[in-house]
Amino acid sequence: EEFAFKQGQYLTFDQEINGEQVRRSYSICAGVGEELRVAVKAVPEGRFSTWANAELKPGDVLRTMAPNGRFFTELVEDQAKHYVAFAAGSGITPILSHVKTVLATEPGSRFTLFYTNKDQSSIIFKDELDDLKDRHLERLRVFHFFTREPVDVPLYAGRMDGAKVKEVQEALLDVEDIDEVFVCGPESMIHAVRDSLSTAGVDAERIHFELFTSST
């Protein structure tokens, strides 16, 4: 029970690496009811991420605190909501937990995901997202945006800045149909989504966000 989690929460690992205690937090990417999983993307000169990707192996034991975080809303089986999420890069990890949990817990709810990456090859969890979309054709929409790969439709090119969010909102969203918004990515994207959707009429209290990296 201590390690039961809510969609959008994270785990904090405490590991000795080369004689130094290193503590890092990673979002849970599993759906509620599944076994705990996190994704650790290798970051240049990142002590924990480099160690985890290069040296961690099956059978090793990790020290972790219990799941934590408030990046979620309560789900109710009989409610029908439209959830919208914006993610960039590894910011998809807690968002994937939201997508999987909502689809499994609220049969009447729908999910729309806007996911930005450099190119096709850098999409994390692409196969899992494709599988979810195939299994929930009427309830899950996924739109990919690329910053360093040519695309046929200009809407899907470039970073998710204020102008892009406005384009997306006008082309792909009905603001009055949005119940909850989740945003995870760089700080600039979070501000762009929050400001643009708030201006368009989405209640600020319904826009939930989490940074996947600190600006400091």
Side-chain angles (χ1 to χ4, degrees), residues 137-151:
L137 290 173
E138 302 300 320
R139 299 175 58 209
L140 174 62
R141 297 190 302 164
V142 179
F143 299 95
H144 292 283
F145 298 78
F146 301 108
T147 61
R148 298 184 186 177
E149 181 175 301
V151 294

Side-chain angles (χ1 to χ4, degrees), residues 121-137:
S121 65
S122 63
I123 300 176
I124 305 173
F125 298 122
K126 184 180 187 303
D127 291 343
E128 198 157 359
L129 287 169
D130 287 345
D131 179 61
L132 284 167
K133 191 168 62 172
D134 289 342
R135 288 192 285 120
H136 301 279
L137 290 173

Side-chain angles (χ1 to χ4, degrees), residues 4-216:
F5 65 94
K6 293 281 191 181
Q7 68 282 0
Q9 289 190 314
Y10 59 85
L11 293 176
T12 299
F13 296 100
D14 185 12
Q15 182 67 31
E16 182 176 313
I17 301 174
N18 298 325
E20 180 184 1
Q21 288 300 128
V22 178
R23 181 173 287 188
R24 293 289 185 274
S25 297
Y26 290 92
S27 296
I28 297 167
C29 56
V32 170
E34 299 178 345
E35 64 182 11
L36 284 167
R37 287 196 303 151
V38 300
V40 183
K41 183 178 180 179
V43 177
E45 299 182 16
R47 285 172 293 175
F48 188 95
S49 67
T50 299
W51 171 83
N53 279 276
E55 300 184 34
L56 189 62
K57 61 185 182 301
D60 287 349
V61 176
L62 287 171
R63 286 163 44 86
T64 177
M65 299 171 68
N68 203 351
R70 300 293 304 171
F71 186 51
F72 63 87
T73 57
E74 294 296 339
L75 303 184
V76 182
E77 184 178 0
D78 61 355
Q79 72 182 359
K81 284 186 172 184
H82 180 203
Y83 298 86
V84 174
F86 291 80
S90 56
I92 189 63
T93 48
I95 299 300
L96 179 63
S97 181
H98 281 287
V99 172
K100 297 178 73 173
T101 304
V102 165
L103 293 175
T105 305
E106 295 185 350
S109 291
R110 296 168 291 123
F111 215 112
T112 299
L113 169 63
F114 303 105
Y115 187 17
T116 304
N117 285 282
K118 294 176 182 177
D119 50 39
Q120 290 272 357
S121 65
S122 63
I123 300 176
I124 305 173
F125 298 122
K126 184 180 187 303
D127 291 343
E128 198 157 359
L129 287 169
D130 287 345
D131 179 61
L132 284 167
K133 191 168 62 172
D134 289 342
R135 288 192 285 120
H136 301 279
L137 290 173
E138 302 300 320
R139 299 175 58 209
L140 174 62
R141 297 190 302 164
V142 179
F143 299 95
H144 292 283
F145 298 78
F146 301 108
T147 61
R148 298 184 186 177
E149 181 175 301
V151 294
D152 295 331
V153 182
L155 175 64
Y156 303 118
R159 299 184 181 280
M160 196 61 68
D161 56 16
K164 182 65 66 178
V165 176
K166 185 177 180 181
E167 283 185 72
V168 167
Q169 167 217 313
E170 293 176 347
L172 303 171
L173 288 172
D174 176 0
V175 172
E176 294 183 358
D177 185 44
I178 298 174
D179 292 294
E180 307 287 350
V181 180
F182 293 95
V183 195
C184 188
E187 194 169 357
S188 58
M189 185 188 80
I190 289 174
H191 287 307
V193 172
R194 185 182 60 189
D195 295 346
S196 296
L197 292 186
S198 294
T199 300
V202 179
D203 190 333
E205 293 184 357
R206 295 181 178 271
I207 303 175
H208 319 276
F209 57 90
E210 183 166 86
L211 286 166
F212 69 63
T213 183
S214 169
S215 59
T216 56

